[in-house]
Amino acid sequence: MKKFMVGTLSAFLAMSLVACSNSASKEESGYSIQKVKVKITDDANLIGKVGIQDSKGKMVDVKPKALYYEFKMKQQGKRKFYQNDKDEIEAKIIPNEDLKKASINTVGVNVFDEGHKQCGTGMGIEEFDYMKKGKVDVHYDLGATVKNKEMPMAPSDQKLKKLQKVARHGKLVITRNNKEIGRYDLETLESVKK
């Protein structure tokens, strides 16, 4: 009888450990992507404006065109673990070779490379609601909509369509305090390993 009790207790403990490790890994992943929208836009409400000096030295606002990604996301696990993420998480796109080449061929640089100085990038987070749903957006400037001395002109709409066609050939990476907490395939929206 004692052997049976010890065996049963051991099995129960083993199952508890497996359950704990599964829930811990779920907490660590943090998010799932529900939906993604990708577009080329010059909508200042989505991507802002850039302050540039004109020929007389006066600051003027210039609207850029950008490759804009909008992710509808859902927090996994208990909300208390993610309440402060609005100010703590960052997101970026890591392109595959197709997307990188398309960017270089269209804009002249790999816009996803943080080291280039030609155009800017941006990111925004809409606070997650009581349903644990929210929005994360990332954009990469492709050039200006009007001539200026600081930012090159955006390529033609026809060229930009080629870039948009392969815009989901890559991965979304989310970090919290500079530590990666999620990586997602842009085509399948599934979580992937590093």
Side-chain angles (χ1 to χ4, degrees), residues 29-84:
S29 71
Y31 297 90
S32 64
I33 300 177
Q34 310 292 300
K35 195 176 180 181
V36 63
K37 251 193 252 179
V38 182
K39 62 184 173 181
I40 305 287
T41 184
D42 63 358
D43 185 342
N45 293 322
L46 296 176
I47 62 172
K49 294 179 182 176
V50 180
I52 292 178
Q53 279 191 348
D54 67 10
S55 56
K56 296 174 185 170
K58 185 182 169 192
M59 287 302 283
V60 292
D61 286 335
V62 173
K63 284 196 329 182
K65 274 196 181 178
L67 178 58
Y68 176 83
Y69 295 83
E70 179 185 282
F71 300 94
K72 297 275 175 80
M73 304 189 76
K74 185 167 184 182
Q75 295 171 327
Q76 303 296 311
K78 295 181 180 162
R79 180 160 166 66
K80 66 180 181 178
F81 292 115
Y82 308 105
Q83 280 177 330
N84 298 322

Side-chain angles (χ1 to χ4, degrees), residues 6-191:
V6 169
T8 304
L9 186 58
S10 297
F12 178 73
L13 284 172
M15 285 182 0
S16 295
L17 286 173
V18 167
C20 286
S21 68
N22 280 347
S23 67
S25 66
K26 209 174 217 183
E27 296 294 357
E28 204 174 280
S29 71
Y31 297 90
S32 64
I33 300 177
Q34 310 292 300
K35 195 176 180 181
V36 63
K37 251 193 252 179
V38 182
K39 62 184 173 181
I40 305 287
T41 184
D42 63 358
D43 185 342
N45 293 322
L46 296 176
I47 62 172
K49 294 179 182 176
V50 180
I52 292 178
Q53 279 191 348
D54 67 10
S55 56
K56 296 174 185 170
K58 185 182 169 192
M59 287 302 283
V60 292
D61 286 335
V62 173
K63 284 196 329 182
K65 274 196 181 178
L67 178 58
Y68 176 83
Y69 295 83
E70 179 185 282
F71 300 94
K72 297 275 175 80
M73 304 189 76
K74 185 167 184 182
Q75 295 171 327
Q76 303 296 311
K78 295 181 180 162
R79 180 160 166 66
K80 66 180 181 178
F81 292 115
Y82 308 105
Q83 280 177 330
N84 298 322
D85 273 358
K86 185 174 191 309
D87 302 316
E88 300 295 330
I89 66 170
E90 292 190 18
K92 67 178 180 181
I93 304 297
I94 297 181
N96 73 2
E97 283 305 311
D98 285 349
L99 183 50
K100 199 184 294 183
K101 279 182 193 170
S103 174
I104 292 166
N105 292 340
T106 306
V107 186
V109 294
N110 174 10
V111 295
F112 305 97
D113 178 8
E114 294 168 3
H116 85 84
K117 302 284 185 225
Q118 187 170 314
C119 298
T121 65
M123 193 207 104
I125 302 170
E126 186 181 282
E127 200 157 355
F128 287 82
D129 62 19
Y130 71 97
M131 296 285 291
K132 302 194 287 186
K133 291 181 178 181
K135 186 176 84 173
V136 172
D137 62 72
V138 185
H139 74 265
Y140 296 88
D141 293 346
L142 306 171
T145 53
V146 293
K147 251 186 171 176
N148 66 83
K149 290 183 175 182
E150 293 181 39
M151 184 188 288
M153 288 293 289
S156 70
D157 289 343
Q158 191 175 357
K159 277 188 172 181
L160 291 175
K161 278 181 186 171
K162 291 177 185 174
L163 177 61
Q164 186 175 353
K165 216 178 236 186
V166 294
R168 287 182 63 177
H169 292 196
K171 296 182 175 45
L172 169 70
V173 174
I174 296 182
T175 56
R176 181 189 295 124
N177 299 322
N178 298 317
K179 182 184 174 197
E180 187 173 313
I181 60 166
R183 184 174 286 239
Y184 309 86
D185 185 292
L186 290 175
E187 292 187 273
T188 65
L189 305 184
E190 296 295 321
S191 181

